[in-house]
Amino acid sequence: MTNDFITRLPKAELHLHIEGSLEPELMFALAARNKVAIPFASVEDVRAAYSFTNLQTFLDIYYAGAAVLKTEEDFRDLAVAYFDRVAQDGVVHAEIFFDPQTHTHRGIPFDVVANGLFAGIEEAKAKHGMSVGLIMSFLRHLSEEDAFETFAQAEPWLDRLIGVGLDSSEMGNPPSKFARVFAAAGDAGLMLCAHAGEEGPAEYVHEALDLLHVDRIDHGNRALEDPALVARLARDAMTLTVCPLSNVALRNVDTLENHPIDRMLDLGLRATIHSDDPAYFGGYIGENYRQTAAARNLSREQVVTLARNSFLGSFLDDETLAGHLATLDAYVKAN
Ligand code: HPA
Ligand code: ZN
């Protein structure tokens, strides 16, 4: 199996924070355009600061970096740069997260963020023929009340969003804190996902299932510590959007050589590979696939299963899903 086979393999991105695709070069360009001061002298200086010891040390830098995003055009440019990049990685469908509270708390109106991102999404659809869904994530270190306020701001946009998510500092902010706002989002017809078991315990994965009624789990690594939970996730074909380079960068897994992705597949889990915050963790989705395949010596069949799982785990309708699976099968047959 060549790297080229992996790169061109049709795949879906299901776990990507658009703010985490802000490359240092664009950060500098936007800082200059918006006259925002950033505490770095050069692009190299920024990259040198990207050495993390856990989730929080990353989040502190990630939220600081987002301060350069001010106008609709900034959010559009950010999104376009991301889609242009992953069009080269075989991505034919993307369901991406954005964190409205990161921006509204700095005085940027929700509508500015949403207008800009949707402008970028429309451009990507036209340019790359990609399908794209946008998922609004609540910041779990903030209150339930703040999440409800954000949900109210999103009201005019709800028919254009595909789902809600839950991210930021996991420890001490269990899914139970957001049960009511997730119930409201579900009632509004949105799909539901939550980061769980990235740093937090398997118990948080149970809560995401039982209290938030999620359709998808983001990360989910620590579910492996609970055999009954693993059996349940496998039985229910619950998708786990796993992010190997993120796991190593945030030290949730010591090395890529020890990453449990193939163990997850062997246990019957519907695991997939994604990029999380590619500008910060050293690679986009193609890089995650290629490096993990090499480090774990994945078979061609395992890599194809991961790509198939990305479509199965998406929020696409049955007919579009069948089309993507047929394209994937045709690619595998021809290559
Ligand atoms: N975990 C939690 N919150 C996040 C992440 C992550 O990996 N990336 C951006 N927000
Ligand atoms: Zn994430």
Side-chain angles (χ1 to χ4, degrees):
M1 180 176 47
T2 62
N3 271 337
D4 183 60
F5 173 83
I6 300 175
T7 303
R8 292 188 303 111
L9 182 68
K11 53 181 79 67
E13 172 81 277
L14 306 180
H15 187 156
L16 176 281
H17 304 265
I18 195 65
E19 294 88 351
S21 72
L22 177 61
E23 291 288 344
E25 288 79 5
L26 184 57
M27 193 189 293
F28 263 80
L30 295 183
R33 189 157 92 189
N34 294 325
K35 303 185 171 43
V36 176
I38 51 174
F40 302 107
S42 67
V43 163
E44 294 69 41
D45 216 22
V46 183
R47 289 222 159 81
Y50 292 175
S51 167
F52 313 113
T53 51
N54 58 23
L55 176 58
Q56 194 60 49
T57 55
F58 154 70
L59 289 171
D60 292 343
I61 287 190
Y62 161 85
Y63 295 131
V68 301
L69 297 160
K70 293 250 181 188
T71 67
E72 281 185 26
E73 190 189 7
D74 300 339
F75 287 96
R76 177 203 150 275
D77 290 353
L78 176 69
V80 166
Y82 168 71
F83 294 119
D84 285 351
R85 177 62 193 75
V86 296
Q88 304 164 40
D89 271 350
V91 171
V92 294
H93 176 65
E95 297 176 3
I96 66 168
F97 299 119
F98 76 116
D99 290 341
Q101 289 150 300
T102 298
H103 314 299
T104 55
H105 278 238
R106 306 182 281 119
I108 312 295
F110 189 101
D111 291 358
V112 166
V113 181
N115 271 321
L117 292 177
F118 277 116
I121 287 171
E122 288 311 314
E123 206 172 310
K125 287 184 184 168
K127 201 179 345 176
H128 304 298
M130 208 181 271
S131 49
V132 179
L134 189 60
I135 301 172
M136 171 173 81
S137 275
F138 298 114
L139 297 182
R140 70 200 308 157
H141 67 277
L142 299 176
S143 67
E144 179 195 40
E145 187 189 357
D146 208 295
F148 266 113
E149 217 168 281
T150 304
F151 190 62
Q153 290 164 356
E155 165 47 59
W157 297 93
L158 290 187
D159 58 343
R160 299 183 67 185
L161 298 174
I162 59 167
V164 298
L166 185 64
D167 63 6
S168 192
S169 320
E170 187 179 9
M171 293 300 263
N173 295 297
S176 54
K177 185 175 162 184
F178 298 94
R180 288 187 291 203
V181 74
F182 266 62
D187 288 345
L190 293 167
M191 301 301 281
L192 308 174
C193 37
H195 285 52
E198 179 186 20
E199 268 189 0
E203 179 54 30
Y204 285 16
V205 179
H206 279 288
E207 282 194 13
L209 298 173
D210 294 331
L211 304 179
L212 303 188
H213 307 289
V214 293
D215 300 290
R216 199 154 76 198
I217 295 279
D218 296 309
H219 295 292
N221 299 45
R222 291 196 60 194
L224 294 174
E225 298 168 18
D226 180 339
L229 176 58
V230 168
R232 175 186 184 184
L233 293 166
R235 184 196 65 213
D236 295 346
M238 178 58 61
T239 301
L240 306 182
T241 63
V242 181
C243 305
L245 290 178
S246 165
N247 293 154
V248 174
L250 300 185
R251 306 203 189 171
N252 293 311
V253 173
D254 61 354
T255 64
L256 213 48
E257 285 68 28
N258 287 327
H259 197 280
I261 190 72
D262 45 307
R263 186 149 66 91
M264 291 171 156
L265 295 180
D266 290 345
L267 288 165
L269 293 168
R270 186 189 277 174
T272 60
I273 284 187
H274 305 288
S275 62
D276 216 1
D277 302 282
Y280 293 88
F281 299 151
Y284 287 76
I285 190 168
E287 202 61 28
N288 272 273
Y289 266 80
R290 290 186 299 268
Q291 287 196 30
T292 307
R296 291 296 311 155
N297 196 21
L298 299 182
S299 69
R300 175 177 152 114
E301 195 188 341
Q302 285 171 319
V303 170
V304 171
T305 295
L306 290 164
R308 185 180 313 280
N309 286 351
S310 74
F311 293 116
L312 294 172
S314 75
F315 296 149
L316 289 165
D317 63 83
D318 289 348
E319 194 185 330
T320 315
L321 169 63
H324 283 303
L325 294 176
T327 305
L328 176 65
D329 289 339
Y331 176 87
V332 172
K333 212 173 246 173
N335 289 274

